Amino acid sequence: MGKVNQGALVAIVGRPNVGKSTLVNRFVGERIAIVDDQPGVTRDRMYLNCEWGTQEFIVIDTGGLIFEKEDDIHTAVQQQAWMAIDEADVIVFLVDGQEGVNPVDHIIAKELRQRKKDVILAVNKVDDVYTEDIATAEFFELGLGNPQPLSAIHRHHTGDLLDNIVERLDSDVVIEKEDTLRIAVVGKPNVGKSSIVNTLLGENRMTVSDISGTTRDAVDTVCKHNGNSYTLVDTAGIRKKSKVRYGIERFSVVRAIKSIQRADVVVLVLDATDPVSEQEQRIAGMAQDMGKASLIVVNKWDLVEDKSSRTMNEFADEIRERLYFMNYAPILFTSTVTKKRLFSIFELSQAASDENQRRITTGLFNEVLNEIVAMNPPPARKNRRPKITYGTQVSVAPPTFVIFSTYPALIEDPYLRHIERRVRENFGFTGTPLRILRREDDKRKKRGQARRAGQYGSGRSEDMTVDEARAQD
Ligand code: GDP
Ligand code: GDP
């Protein structure tokens, strides 16, 4: 039970240079909880998971929406930007208050008006609060209601803008989570997603719950398998076939983001007859970034002639190589023709979700951490050796561990990956990403200061084992 986010989406639109990315960065600065503060696997991450007040939503910077040249309108990037706009619940149309109305603003405004979207017209770079009325006045002509003044750089009215956004999001965006496992089946077009979903639903289909409100056209389907309830997320999106408007680019990154965000488990479907593509790496990266339990399904296995276990291993190796950052996801070889192994998706999803929700006690975790550190301590950097004192699991979904040490900045990624590997060897966590964060051990620091100040007369060595540290806590 609990809140489940229904993937409300806010798109920031505007010409280049009006301050879109500055604004998004200000949102981060406002201490909106960024769900994940680690750098994304995908370099081109353009979305942020935000929380303001009681609402959660995704903000997308449609940086690629450029109108300078007519020809550019049909590039894939622009298609993705338009798809983002079509999927968005609220659009922030950002214009430049110092430059005034630009002809391109009129083109964008016209498109937005035609699409009948809920638009907040925000006039950025109004750095001087005394000129707000003058700066915004001319933007009335865009026909999108009251222009709202803002200075992303000076943080004037950025909180008001967030309030305004949240007011427009339906309150039923957040629904009480039923006792069901939410599975998002994602992948590039033509790999067999709708065939898989149809087979899984079979005659077990229970209800089609049309979630009204913000995610108007997202249809989730609930079904039962072996007595357990499963919800297949956005079955409408999976079945929705090419929209003529977007031409060949009928895969919507934004739609995938929304589905992934709303799911407990992500089932990434690949085609056994195709090599792993960049688009698929990107989807996998999103699932990893969002900390979701994941499963890799290699479909159309019936089309592979040599089905020996050797071939399976070769396939698995290649997938592991291309999706190296998702090495925790089980790989399943399926066919909607023979239906072989297809229904294992349910059990494997449940298992992955259980691991995603799993907690390890601090005692047990430190036993393992102690051993890892004893066998292979973090390497010294700049003549300093970080000393790991203890660690603890701070959250689930995904399981997140904090490692306390001296000089945490000197503990580098390869060492964190080493810890992650050893943690997995000991605890499993199959199917879920893990987060391992570094933190300064404050208590140690204070003790050190006190000792140096002569208040700590024991004269004990700076070196302390995990056990000693724990004993002191
Ligand atoms: P984007 O291309 O729309 O993402 O625009 P950027 O965020 O990269 O900003 C473009 C330029 O406008 C940068 O030089 C920013 O520093 C500047 N800028 C952004 N917001 C403000 C603002 O509130 N006031 C002023 N004076 N400049 C701003
Ligand atoms: P989606 O675009 O990912 O939803 O893919 P579809 O479910 O529409 O499937 C695309 C095509 O692949 C259709 O012609 C399906 O009949 C076919 N297909 C789906 N699954 C399999 C499979 O396991 N084996 C074979 N041989 N064809 C499949």
Short mmCIF file of all heavy atoms in Angstrom, two decimals, residues 185-199 237-241 250 269 271 273 298-303 334-339 342, ligand 2:
data_model
loop_
_atom_site.label_atom_id
_atom_site.label_comp_id
_atom_site.label_asym_id
_atom_site.label_seq_id
_atom_site.Cartn_x
_atom_site.Cartn_y
_atom_site.Cartn_z
N VAL A 185 5.93 -3.35 -19.82
CA VAL A 185 6.59 -4.05 -20.91
C VAL A 185 7.06 -2.99 -21.90
O VAL A 185 6.25 -2.28 -22.48
CB VAL A 185 5.61 -5.04 -21.59
CG1 VAL A 185 6.26 -5.72 -22.78
CG2 VAL A 185 5.13 -6.08 -20.58
N VAL A 186 8.37 -2.85 -22.03
CA VAL A 186 8.90 -1.78 -22.89
C VAL A 186 9.89 -2.33 -23.90
O VAL A 186 10.41 -3.44 -23.76
CB VAL A 186 9.60 -0.67 -22.05
CG1 VAL A 186 8.61 0.04 -21.14
CG2 VAL A 186 10.73 -1.25 -21.23
N GLY A 187 10.15 -1.54 -24.92
CA GLY A 187 11.09 -1.95 -25.96
C GLY A 187 10.82 -1.19 -27.23
O GLY A 187 9.82 -0.47 -27.33
N LYS A 188 11.70 -1.36 -28.20
CA LYS A 188 11.51 -0.64 -29.45
C LYS A 188 10.34 -1.29 -30.22
O LYS A 188 9.90 -2.38 -29.86
CB LYS A 188 12.80 -0.63 -30.26
CG LYS A 188 13.25 -1.99 -30.70
CD LYS A 188 14.48 -1.93 -31.58
CE LYS A 188 14.71 -3.31 -32.18
NZ LYS A 188 15.86 -3.41 -33.04
N PRO A 189 9.85 -0.65 -31.26
CA PRO A 189 8.72 -1.21 -32.00
C PRO A 189 9.07 -2.56 -32.62
O PRO A 189 10.23 -2.81 -32.94
CB PRO A 189 8.47 -0.17 -33.11
CG PRO A 189 9.06 1.10 -32.61
CD PRO A 189 10.23 0.69 -31.77
N ASN A 190 8.05 -3.41 -32.75
CA ASN A 190 8.16 -4.66 -33.51
C ASN A 190 8.88 -5.81 -32.85
O ASN A 190 9.15 -6.81 -33.51
CB ASN A 190 8.84 -4.40 -34.86
CG ASN A 190 7.84 -4.61 -35.97
OD1 ASN A 190 6.79 -5.23 -35.76
ND2 ASN A 190 8.15 -4.11 -37.14
N VAL A 191 9.25 -5.68 -31.59
CA VAL A 191 9.95 -6.78 -30.93
C VAL A 191 8.97 -7.82 -30.40
O VAL A 191 9.37 -8.93 -30.05
CB VAL A 191 10.84 -6.27 -29.78
CG1 VAL A 191 12.00 -5.44 -30.31
CG2 VAL A 191 10.03 -5.47 -28.77
N GLY A 192 7.68 -7.44 -30.34
CA GLY A 192 6.67 -8.40 -29.89
C GLY A 192 6.00 -8.02 -28.58
O GLY A 192 5.40 -8.88 -27.92
N LYS A 193 6.07 -6.77 -28.21
CA LYS A 193 5.48 -6.35 -26.93
C LYS A 193 3.98 -6.63 -26.86
O LYS A 193 3.49 -7.22 -25.90
CB LYS A 193 5.72 -4.84 -26.69
CG LYS A 193 7.16 -4.47 -26.51
CD LYS A 193 7.32 -3.01 -26.21
CE LYS A 193 6.81 -2.10 -27.32
NZ LYS A 193 7.49 -2.29 -28.62
N SER A 194 3.23 -6.20 -27.91
CA SER A 194 1.79 -6.41 -27.80
C SER A 194 1.44 -7.89 -27.88
O SER A 194 0.52 -8.34 -27.21
CB SER A 194 1.00 -5.58 -28.81
OG SER A 194 1.69 -5.39 -29.97
N SER A 195 2.21 -8.65 -28.67
CA SER A 195 1.97 -10.10 -28.70
C SER A 195 2.19 -10.69 -27.32
O SER A 195 1.40 -11.54 -26.86
CB SER A 195 2.90 -10.79 -29.69
OG SER A 195 2.90 -10.13 -30.93
N ILE A 196 3.24 -10.26 -26.65
CA ILE A 196 3.53 -10.78 -25.31
C ILE A 196 2.42 -10.40 -24.33
O ILE A 196 1.89 -11.25 -23.60
CB ILE A 196 4.89 -10.25 -24.80
CG1 ILE A 196 6.03 -10.92 -25.58
CG2 ILE A 196 5.06 -10.49 -23.30
CD1 ILE A 196 7.42 -10.40 -25.25
N VAL A 197 2.05 -9.12 -24.36
CA VAL A 197 1.01 -8.66 -23.44
C VAL A 197 -0.29 -9.42 -23.68
O VAL A 197 -0.94 -9.89 -22.74
CB VAL A 197 0.81 -7.13 -23.57
CG1 VAL A 197 -0.49 -6.69 -22.95
CG2 VAL A 197 1.98 -6.40 -22.94
N ASN A 198 -0.65 -9.60 -24.94
CA ASN A 198 -1.88 -10.34 -25.24
C ASN A 198 -1.81 -11.77 -24.75
O ASN A 198 -2.78 -12.30 -24.20
CB ASN A 198 -2.17 -10.32 -26.74
CG ASN A 198 -2.75 -8.99 -27.16
OD1 ASN A 198 -3.49 -8.36 -26.41
ND2 ASN A 198 -2.39 -8.53 -28.35
N THR A 199 -0.66 -12.41 -24.93
CA THR A 199 -0.52 -13.79 -24.46
C THR A 199 -0.60 -13.85 -22.94
O THR A 199 -1.27 -14.71 -22.38
CB THR A 199 0.83 -14.38 -24.93
OG1 THR A 199 0.99 -14.11 -26.31
CG2 THR A 199 0.88 -15.88 -24.70
N GLY A 237 -0.71 2.09 -24.60
CA GLY A 237 0.50 2.59 -25.25
C GLY A 237 1.22 1.50 -26.01
O GLY A 237 1.81 1.72 -27.06
N ILE A 238 1.17 0.29 -25.46
CA ILE A 238 1.85 -0.83 -26.11
C ILE A 238 1.16 -1.16 -27.43
O ILE A 238 1.79 -1.45 -28.43
CB ILE A 238 1.86 -2.07 -25.18
CG1 ILE A 238 2.71 -1.79 -23.96
CG2 ILE A 238 2.37 -3.29 -25.93
CD1 ILE A 238 2.50 -2.78 -22.83
N ARG A 239 -0.15 -1.07 -27.41
CA ARG A 239 -0.88 -1.47 -28.62
C ARG A 239 -1.00 -0.36 -29.64
O ARG A 239 -1.27 -0.61 -30.80
CB ARG A 239 -2.27 -1.95 -28.24
CG ARG A 239 -2.18 -3.25 -27.50
CD ARG A 239 -3.54 -3.71 -27.12
NE ARG A 239 -3.42 -4.82 -26.18
CZ ARG A 239 -4.41 -5.19 -25.41
NH1 ARG A 239 -5.56 -4.56 -25.48
NH2 ARG A 239 -4.27 -6.19 -24.61
N LYS A 240 -0.85 0.85 -29.14
CA LYS A 240 -1.02 1.99 -30.03
C LYS A 240 -0.02 1.90 -31.17
O LYS A 240 1.18 1.87 -30.95
CB LYS A 240 -0.79 3.28 -29.24
CG LYS A 240 -1.36 4.52 -29.94
CD LYS A 240 -0.96 5.76 -29.18
CE LYS A 240 -2.10 6.32 -28.36
NZ LYS A 240 -1.68 7.46 -27.55
N LYS A 241 -0.48 1.84 -32.37
CA LYS A 241 0.43 1.67 -33.48
C LYS A 241 0.81 3.02 -34.08
O LYS A 241 0.35 4.06 -33.65
CB LYS A 241 -0.16 0.73 -34.52
CG LYS A 241 -0.20 -0.70 -34.03
CD LYS A 241 1.21 -1.20 -33.70
CE LYS A 241 1.15 -2.59 -33.06
NZ LYS A 241 2.44 -3.08 -32.62
N ARG A 250 8.12 5.97 -34.53
CA ARG A 250 6.89 5.79 -33.76
C ARG A 250 7.16 5.33 -32.33
O ARG A 250 6.26 4.96 -31.60
CB ARG A 250 5.92 4.86 -34.47
CG ARG A 250 6.34 3.41 -34.51
CD ARG A 250 5.26 2.62 -35.24
NE ARG A 250 5.69 1.28 -35.55
CZ ARG A 250 5.39 0.22 -34.83
NH1 ARG A 250 4.70 0.34 -33.73
NH2 ARG A 250 5.79 -0.96 -35.21
N VAL A 269 11.89 -5.83 -23.63
CA VAL A 269 11.77 -6.87 -24.65
C VAL A 269 12.74 -6.57 -25.80
O VAL A 269 12.75 -5.47 -26.35
CB VAL A 269 10.33 -6.96 -25.19
CG1 VAL A 269 10.21 -8.10 -26.20
CG2 VAL A 269 9.34 -7.15 -24.04
N ASP A 271 14.53 -8.28 -29.55
CA ASP A 271 14.23 -9.21 -30.64
C ASP A 271 15.46 -10.09 -30.85
O ASP A 271 16.56 -9.58 -31.10
CB ASP A 271 13.92 -8.38 -31.90
CG ASP A 271 13.50 -9.25 -33.08
OD1 ASP A 271 13.97 -10.40 -33.17
OD2 ASP A 271 12.71 -8.77 -33.91
N THR A 273 16.43 -11.69 -33.23
CA THR A 273 17.05 -11.62 -34.55
C THR A 273 17.72 -10.27 -34.82
O THR A 273 18.20 -10.03 -35.92
CB THR A 273 15.99 -11.89 -35.65
OG1 THR A 273 15.01 -10.84 -35.60
CG2 THR A 273 15.31 -13.22 -35.45
N VAL A 298 14.31 -11.89 -24.29
CA VAL A 298 14.74 -12.01 -25.68
C VAL A 298 13.64 -12.79 -26.39
O VAL A 298 13.53 -14.00 -26.26
CB VAL A 298 16.09 -12.74 -25.78
CG1 VAL A 298 16.57 -12.78 -27.22
CG2 VAL A 298 17.12 -12.06 -24.89
N ASN A 299 12.84 -12.06 -27.15
CA ASN A 299 11.66 -12.67 -27.78
C ASN A 299 11.98 -13.14 -29.21
O ASN A 299 13.04 -12.87 -29.73
CB ASN A 299 10.52 -11.63 -27.78
CG ASN A 299 9.20 -12.26 -28.15
OD1 ASN A 299 8.89 -13.38 -27.73
ND2 ASN A 299 8.41 -11.57 -28.96
N LYS A 300 11.03 -13.85 -29.80
CA LYS A 300 11.16 -14.45 -31.15
C LYS A 300 12.25 -15.52 -31.17
O LYS A 300 12.93 -15.72 -32.18
CB LYS A 300 11.45 -13.36 -32.21
CG LYS A 300 10.43 -12.22 -32.23
CD LYS A 300 10.48 -11.42 -33.50
CE LYS A 300 9.60 -10.18 -33.39
NZ LYS A 300 9.63 -9.34 -34.59
N TRP A 301 12.44 -16.17 -30.04
CA TRP A 301 13.45 -17.23 -29.93
C TRP A 301 13.17 -18.36 -30.91
O TRP A 301 14.07 -19.08 -31.32
CB TRP A 301 13.50 -17.73 -28.48
CG TRP A 301 14.69 -18.59 -28.17
CD1 TRP A 301 14.68 -19.88 -27.75
CD2 TRP A 301 16.07 -18.21 -28.27
NE1 TRP A 301 15.96 -20.33 -27.58
CE2 TRP A 301 16.83 -19.33 -27.90
CE3 TRP A 301 16.73 -17.04 -28.65
CZ2 TRP A 301 18.23 -19.33 -27.89
CZ3 TRP A 301 18.14 -17.04 -28.64
CH2 TRP A 301 18.85 -18.16 -28.26
N ASP A 302 11.89 -18.49 -31.33
CA ASP A 302 11.55 -19.53 -32.31
C ASP A 302 12.25 -19.31 -33.64
O ASP A 302 12.45 -20.24 -34.41
CB ASP A 302 10.02 -19.57 -32.50
CG ASP A 302 9.47 -18.22 -32.94
OD1 ASP A 302 9.44 -17.29 -32.10
OD2 ASP A 302 9.07 -18.08 -34.10
N LEU A 303 12.66 -18.08 -33.92
CA LEU A 303 13.31 -17.78 -35.20
C LEU A 303 14.80 -18.11 -35.19
O LEU A 303 15.45 -18.08 -36.24
CB LEU A 303 13.11 -16.30 -35.57
CG LEU A 303 11.66 -15.86 -35.81
CD1 LEU A 303 11.62 -14.37 -36.15
CD2 LEU A 303 11.02 -16.68 -36.93
N THR A 334 12.15 -16.10 -24.96
CA THR A 334 10.73 -16.42 -25.12
C THR A 334 10.30 -16.44 -26.58
O THR A 334 11.02 -16.00 -27.48
CB THR A 334 9.84 -15.36 -24.43
OG1 THR A 334 10.03 -14.12 -25.10
CG2 THR A 334 10.17 -15.22 -22.96
N SER A 335 9.10 -16.95 -26.79
CA SER A 335 8.48 -16.90 -28.11
C SER A 335 6.97 -16.82 -27.91
O SER A 335 6.41 -17.58 -27.12
CB SER A 335 8.83 -18.16 -28.89
OG SER A 335 7.92 -18.31 -29.95
N THR A 336 6.35 -15.92 -28.61
CA THR A 336 4.89 -15.86 -28.49
C THR A 336 4.25 -16.90 -29.41
O THR A 336 3.05 -17.13 -29.36
CB THR A 336 4.34 -14.46 -28.84
OG1 THR A 336 4.70 -14.13 -30.18
CG2 THR A 336 4.89 -13.40 -27.90
N VAL A 337 5.08 -17.53 -30.27
CA VAL A 337 4.56 -18.58 -31.14
C VAL A 337 4.47 -19.89 -30.35
O VAL A 337 3.42 -20.52 -30.29
CB VAL A 337 5.47 -18.75 -32.39
CG1 VAL A 337 4.97 -19.90 -33.27
CG2 VAL A 337 5.51 -17.45 -33.19
N THR A 338 5.58 -20.29 -29.74
CA THR A 338 5.56 -21.54 -28.96
C THR A 338 5.08 -21.29 -27.53
O THR A 338 4.76 -22.22 -26.82
CB THR A 338 6.98 -22.14 -28.88
OG1 THR A 338 7.80 -21.26 -28.10
CG2 THR A 338 7.59 -22.31 -30.26
N LYS A 339 5.07 -20.03 -27.11
CA LYS A 339 4.71 -19.61 -25.75
C LYS A 339 5.67 -20.16 -24.69
O LYS A 339 5.40 -20.10 -23.49
CB LYS A 339 3.27 -20.02 -25.40
CG LYS A 339 2.24 -19.43 -26.34
CD LYS A 339 0.89 -19.41 -25.71
CE LYS A 339 -0.19 -18.71 -26.49
NZ LYS A 339 -0.11 -18.65 -27.93
N LEU A 342 7.20 -18.04 -21.55
CA LEU A 342 6.59 -16.72 -21.55
C LEU A 342 5.98 -16.37 -20.19
O LEU A 342 6.12 -15.25 -19.70
CB LEU A 342 5.53 -16.65 -22.64
CG LEU A 342 5.28 -15.28 -23.23
CD1 LEU A 342 6.54 -14.69 -23.81
CD2 LEU A 342 4.22 -15.38 -24.30
P1 GDP B 2 5.42 -4.56 -30.81
O1 GDP B 2 5.50 -3.47 -31.84
O2 GDP B 2 6.67 -4.64 -29.99
O3 GDP B 2 4.18 -4.50 -29.96
O4 GDP B 2 5.40 -5.95 -31.64
P2 GDP B 2 4.16 -6.87 -32.06
O5 GDP B 2 3.64 -7.64 -30.91
O6 GDP B 2 3.20 -6.04 -32.84
O7 GDP B 2 4.92 -7.88 -33.01
C1 GDP B 2 5.59 -7.47 -34.17
C2 GDP B 2 5.64 -8.62 -35.15
O8 GDP B 2 6.42 -9.68 -34.63
C3 GDP B 2 4.26 -9.21 -35.44
O9 GDP B 2 4.21 -9.55 -36.79
C4 GDP B 2 4.22 -10.44 -34.55
O10 GDP B 2 3.38 -11.43 -35.07
C5 GDP B 2 5.66 -10.89 -34.56
N1 GDP B 2 6.05 -11.62 -33.36
C6 GDP B 2 5.83 -11.26 -32.07
N2 GDP B 2 6.35 -12.16 -31.22
C7 GDP B 2 6.92 -13.13 -31.98
C8 GDP B 2 7.62 -14.35 -31.70
O11 GDP B 2 7.86 -14.72 -30.54
N3 GDP B 2 8.06 -15.06 -32.76
C9 GDP B 2 7.86 -14.68 -34.04
N4 GDP B 2 8.32 -15.45 -35.01
N5 GDP B 2 7.19 -13.55 -34.35
C10 GDP B 2 6.73 -12.78 -33.35
#
